[in-house]
Each structure stands twice: as structure tokens, then as C-alpha cells.
Amino acid sequence: MLAKVLSAATVGLDSIPITVEVDINTKTLPSFTIVGLPSKSVEESKERVRAAIKNSGAEFPSHRITVNLAPADIPKEGPAFDLPIALGILIASGQLPKSVEDIITVGELSLDGSLRNTQGILPVALLVKQKKYKGIFLPFINALEAAVIKNISVYPVPSLITLSHHLLGDKIIDPHPYIPFDEISQDTGAEFDLSDVKGQETAKRALEISAAGGHNLHMRGVPGAGKTMLARCLPGILPHLTEDEALEVTKIYSITGNIPEGASIIKTRPFRAPHHTVSRMGLIGGGTHPLPGEISLAHRGVLFMDEFPEFPRSVLEAMRQPIEDGIVTISRAAGTITYPAKFVLIAASNPCPCGYYQDPVKKCRCLPGQVANYRKRISGPIMDRIDLHIELSAVEMDKLTSASMGESSQSIQGRVQKARDLQTSRYNNIKAVCNSDLNSKQVKEFIPLSNECLQLLQQAVCTLHISARSYYRTIKVAQTIADLEECGKITPTHVAEALQYRYQDKE
């Protein structure tokens, strides 16, 4: 007898429908075969399914069982096919009725028949909505993740026996109610508040501009100047994720299994801080079956790279194209996959190996050649892709011991959110969501410049020898500064401040 159950496989960030065909031949010796390019984890589902069916009180057929995962030319990964395979066997053996057509079924089985947490649920739920299927059977623990998608029926299944009773009509599983995006609570995720940071007003201003326009920032300063603490404050002033952005982020975290247990959707902008020993594959992504790396996990959030020159040169150079384009394309023999990687890069570095080059208090112990070689670890093309460059000195003692508190992150976040809302409204008809997303053509279209601003920029090109890329990035930073002040147009003052952050180009 032949049975068909609809399931799904995730390719990149999207899911495609997979038909699980189960055939039971009673005229041959017992065997259990899975075909259709299954991975090792799919092959191992044979033993999980066998034990789950028996421990659920059902009968496992002692005949030849052939499972085909169609289409057969697409590699199948992960244990999410356990439930549809078990369901297909029960249907093909006549223990359940044929009543699961047009319903996607996914879930990893435990040996006792209960369903475990399964990765990649959100892309499957989006597939259900796109293809207009009747609903989705999924593990009970993953119901919140799929319930954020409107107009689909989400059936939370705690175990195989519960689903069997539902299909037999003995005890119906009620669909999980839809969870509106606005009703989901949000946490800033910030470790520190900017009011706790003493001094460093220039750095705080640069952080505010970076958060408002999505601009990359490089902080260079002596050890203990507060570079890491400032970066850890950034999540507290970032604008809120929109619903579309939250779905993008959650899809990435869903396929990598990084969604916190019991969470439905990620509403906090990601903050990733990989160690400088990270491999190129760990940062960019890859593998035999490519998975997202740190730059994709930081999508629509922040990638903080402390001790920037200590990262391997090959790792830093691999970031050129993702920083520029906001995507990363990974090509392997099995195929090519593109992941989003639109992040804000926050880099922190020391001025030299010992950390005290040109410090007025502590004497630098490095030779001139050592200082030059240390700075050469970061190439010019990488530095040219960073919009804001600031130098930090040690905090003065009177500021460090002062009892006065600076402006809070909440207050700064209010200005940042207003500026980002202006940008969202301005770029409503294009894919850009903030100033840093604009390409050179869009800069000319959306950011008009007065003659005074153009003259100032022309002088900067001649004096500072900035590149064409830096020219357009300076204009985008100036637009962000104007947005923070809620000005309708860019003034020479905004351009002058933006040029101050091109410090690296003056060296």
C-alpha cells in the first residue's frame, strides 16, 4: 500500500515542499530503506521512527518499507522528516486514514514518540502561507515560532500518539491562536547604559550616528579607554526591528537553532561578538551544506569585532563584499546559497601592539616598524568601507570620579528612532531601510546637496584625497546627522561633521 505525506526541506533561508512517499510491500522480506538523497541524520530516522511507533502503542510493519523523499535531486538534511515518515508508515499499513493531504508535517521524534524541538520551523510556516496549504503539524514546543504567521493553521503536536488520535477523530488538536507582532515583548539586550560611561562624548556621538543610519564604526584607543563598554551599550540605542526585519532575523536563527526556547520571534536586534580566533567559515558561513556565519547571524544588527587587527588577514578580507553588498554568496559543489548580511560593523583596536602609541601619560614601547606593521594588518579597502573613525584617549580622572550621570540610552534611543522613522518613510518605495543601504545612484536621487555642501566636499576630495566610495559614504553620514536634528536638508555643518569622521583617510 502506498501513502503520501507532505513535508518540507530548507534550502538556504527558504523552504520547499517535499513529498514523503511510503510504500509497504508484504510479499518480500522485511527491510527499511530511505531514498531521495537523505543525509546521515535522515538515515538514522529509521531507528527513531521504529522505536517511536512501537512505544506509542502502534504496530510497526514487519514487511519491506520503502520511503522516497521527492523530489529526489534535492539533498535532505536534519531530523524534521521523522514525523512525516512515521505518519506515512501508519497510513500505508492501514492504521490511520488518508487524511493529511495539503498539510505540511515536520518534527523530530524521540524514542518514546514525543516530539522534540526542531530547527527551521519559521521558513516552513512561511511556505504554508505562500502555497496556501491547509495547515502545519509541528512539535508543540515550536508552536509559538509558527504562530506569528498570519492566516495559517498551526497544529501543535506533543506526540505521535496525540496526532494519531487527532487523525482518527478521537481527540482533536485545536490550532494555536495567531500571535500579533505588536503583542510580543521586546528586550533591548544591552549590557550597559550610556549614562554609565564617563566622558568619551565624541564616541557617544559617533555611536548615536552609527545606530541612526546603520553606519560602520571604528574605534581606536588605548587599553581601558572604554571601547568594549561603548560597543556593549549600542544595543540599548538601536531602533526597533520592524516586522519584516524581525522575520528576516528569525528565519536565520530558526535554521541554525538559535531561537531561545519558548520564544516566538526575535524582536531584539542581534549583537554578535566573535572572538578574534574565529575561522573564515565561522565568520562568513559555509560547510558541505552551507550554513550562515556570524555576519549573517548579525543581520539587521551589530557585528562587534574587538581587537580588530588580531583577526586573521584572510578573515578580514573575506568581509569586503558582504560589507559593501549586504549579502554573502557561498558556492560549493552541492550548489550556491546566498544569505543576507546587512549588519553594522563596530570595530575596536589599539593604536599599536603595546597599546600606548602617542599616549601622553604612558610611554609606548613599540618600534616605528612594529607600529606600522600592526596597522597594516587592516587593509585600506576594509578601512575605506567604514564610515566613522574615532580616536579614544584615556578617561580623565576628574570625569572618572565624577558623580554626575550622562544622558541615558533611552533618551538617545528616542532620537535614533525618530531619525530611523524619517529614513523608513523617505525610502518607502525602494529596498533601503536606512541611509547606509543606499547605493551611489540612490544617493544622488534622494540626497540633494546645496552648492555650499558641494564646494566643501570638493575641497575635501582635493585635500584629504578621499575615494569615490568615501565621498558617497560621507554624504550618507551627513544625511544621518541631519535626520538626527530633524532637518529637512543637509547643511555645510552636517557635511563638516561627517568629514571629521574620515580620520583614517588623513593618515
Side-chain angles (χ1 to χ4, degrees):
M1 186 175 178
L2 179 66
K4 295 182 179 181
V5 178
L6 199 60
S7 188
T10 300
V11 179
L13 286 183
D14 300 314
S15 288
I16 57 174
I18 298 294
T19 302
V20 179
E21 302 174 332
V22 180
D23 176 72
I24 298 180
N25 190 338
T26 60
K27 298 181 181 180
T28 56
L29 294 174
S31 65
F32 194 170
T33 307
I34 299 178
V35 296
L37 288 184
S39 66
K40 182 65 175 177
S41 59
V42 178
E43 280 282 354
E44 290 176 347
S45 69
K46 292 186 289 187
E47 302 306 319
R48 293 193 296 270
V49 168
R50 188 194 308 271
I53 289 177
K54 290 182 177 180
N55 291 327
S56 297
E59 180 183 351
F60 188 84
S62 57
H63 305 293
R64 179 181 177 86
I65 301 172
T66 304
V67 177
N68 179 38
L69 307 177
D73 59 337
I74 297 174
K76 317 301 186 305
E77 285 283 330
F81 295 102
D82 288 3
L83 183 60
I85 291 174
L87 209 56
I89 291 174
L90 293 177
I91 293 173
S93 61
Q95 299 178 67
L96 288 178
K98 290 186 177 181
S99 59
V100 290
E101 295 182 1
D102 291 334
I103 296 182
I104 294 281
T105 305
V106 291
E108 176 186 350
L109 284 170
S110 294
L111 298 185
D112 61 357
S114 61
L115 287 172
R116 301 172 60 87
N117 181 45
T118 304
Q119 299 179 11
I121 292 298
L122 184 60
V124 178
L126 291 169
L127 173 69
V128 172
K129 182 177 181 179
Q130 177 189 352
K131 298 292 186 179
K132 298 181 179 179
Y133 292 126
K134 292 181 180 178
I136 175 173
F137 291 129
L138 46 66
F140 184 88
I141 194 172
N142 296 114
L144 293 176
E145 185 179 336
V148 298
I149 306 302
K150 197 173 184 180
N151 298 326
I152 68 170
S153 297
V154 177
Y155 297 95
V157 181
S159 63
L160 177 61
I161 191 170
T162 305
L163 181 56
S164 301
H165 288 314
H166 171 80
L167 297 176
L168 291 170
D170 299 335
K171 188 176 181 181
I172 301 300
I173 300 174
D174 295 324
H176 196 287
Y178 165 66
I179 303 176
F181 181 75
D182 295 336
E183 294 183 4
I184 302 172
S185 60
Q186 177 173 349
D187 180 20
T188 62
E191 293 184 40
F192 304 102
D193 193 284
L194 276 174
S195 62
D196 299 327
V197 180
K198 304 295 184 180
Q200 307 297 10
E201 302 304 326
T202 301
K204 292 179 183 179
R205 173 66 172 171
L207 275 182
E208 183 178 343
I209 296 171
S210 173
H215 303 291
N216 301 323
L217 169 65
H218 175 225
M219 297 181 287
R220 176 185 289 163
V222 299
K227 302 184 294 294
T228 301
M229 185 175 183
L230 283 163
R232 298 285 180 183
C233 291
L234 186 58
I237 66 173
L238 290 172
H240 301 308
L241 281 172
T242 64
E243 185 170 0
D244 290 339
E245 289 176 331
L247 287 175
E248 289 178 14
V249 173
T250 307
K251 282 173 69 175
I252 298 171
Y253 277 64
S254 178
I255 67 171
T256 55
N258 286 320
I259 295 182
E261 187 173 336
S264 56
I265 191 172
I266 294 176
K267 293 190 70 174
T268 302
R269 290 190 182 271
F271 183 90
R272 307 291 298 186
H275 192 260
H276 60 258
T277 56
V278 65
S279 67
R280 184 168 57 180
M281 186 181 298
L283 188 69
I284 303 300
T288 306
H289 299 283
L291 286 175
E294 288 290 337
I295 62 172
S296 294
L297 291 170
H299 180 61
R300 295 300 176 192
V302 177
L303 179 68
F304 175 46
M305 302 183 73
D306 202 3
E307 304 297 343
F308 200 43
E310 300 297 336
F311 284 82
R313 181 67 177 259
S314 61
V315 171
L316 294 181
E317 294 307 306
M319 293 177 60
R320 288 192 190 184
Q321 180 257 340
I323 292 176
E324 191 74 16
D325 300 335
I327 58 173
V328 57
T329 301
I330 304 171
S331 297
R332 295 290 183 270
T336 300
I337 292 177
T338 298
Y339 288 118
K342 188 61 185 176
F343 55 88
V344 175
L345 172 64
I346 304 295
S349 66
N350 294 324
C352 66
C354 79
Y356 296 102
Y357 179 69
Q358 293 183 338
D359 185 73
V361 179
K362 293 188 178 182
K363 184 178 180 180
C364 175
R365 302 188 302 272
C366 304
L367 298 174
Q370 291 177 309
V371 176
N373 289 334
Y374 186 76
R375 296 197 175 191
K376 284 180 182 178
R377 293 182 183 179
I378 309 173
S379 67
I382 291 293
M383 298 301 278
D384 200 41
R385 286 166 166 79
I386 298 178
D387 307 325
L388 309 169
H389 297 264
I390 59 172
E391 295 278 348
L392 278 71
S393 56
V395 183
E396 297 175 2
M397 185 56 64
D398 57 343
K399 292 183 179 180
L400 188 62
T401 57
S402 173
S404 62
M405 303 292 289
E407 188 177 10
S408 68
S409 293
Q410 185 177 4
S411 175
I412 297 174
Q413 199 272 342
R415 290 197 301 271
V416 169
Q417 187 65 55
K418 287 182 180 179
R420 186 61 69 90
D421 291 341
L422 284 174
Q423 296 165 42
T424 302
S425 176
R426 184 187 303 130
Y427 310 131
N428 187 40
N429 296 325
I430 59 176
K431 292 183 178 180
V433 298
C434 59
N435 291 328
S436 65
D437 289 343
L438 299 179
N439 57 37
S440 57
K441 180 180 178 181
Q442 292 167 339
V443 169
K444 297 175 183 177
E445 180 181 353
F446 288 95
I447 307 181
L449 295 173
S450 64
N451 291 331
E452 293 83 357
C453 292
L454 284 173
Q455 290 176 1
L456 184 57
L457 284 167
Q458 288 171 359
Q459 294 175 5
V461 171
C462 296
T463 306
L464 304 178
H465 306 292
I466 64 175
S467 65
R469 180 189 291 113
S470 296
Y471 173 82
Y472 287 109
R473 286 182 177 271
T474 300
I475 295 175
K476 290 187 283 187
V477 171
Q479 181 62 67
T480 300
I481 296 171
D483 290 338
L484 284 168
E485 296 179 4
E486 300 184 54
C487 292
K489 60 180 181 179
I490 296 176
T491 66
T493 304
H494 301 142
V495 176
E497 183 179 356
L499 286 169
Q500 290 179 358
Y501 297 116
R502 299 304 311 178
Y503 177 83
Q504 185 66 25
D505 296 325
K506 298 188 291 184
E507 292 191 348

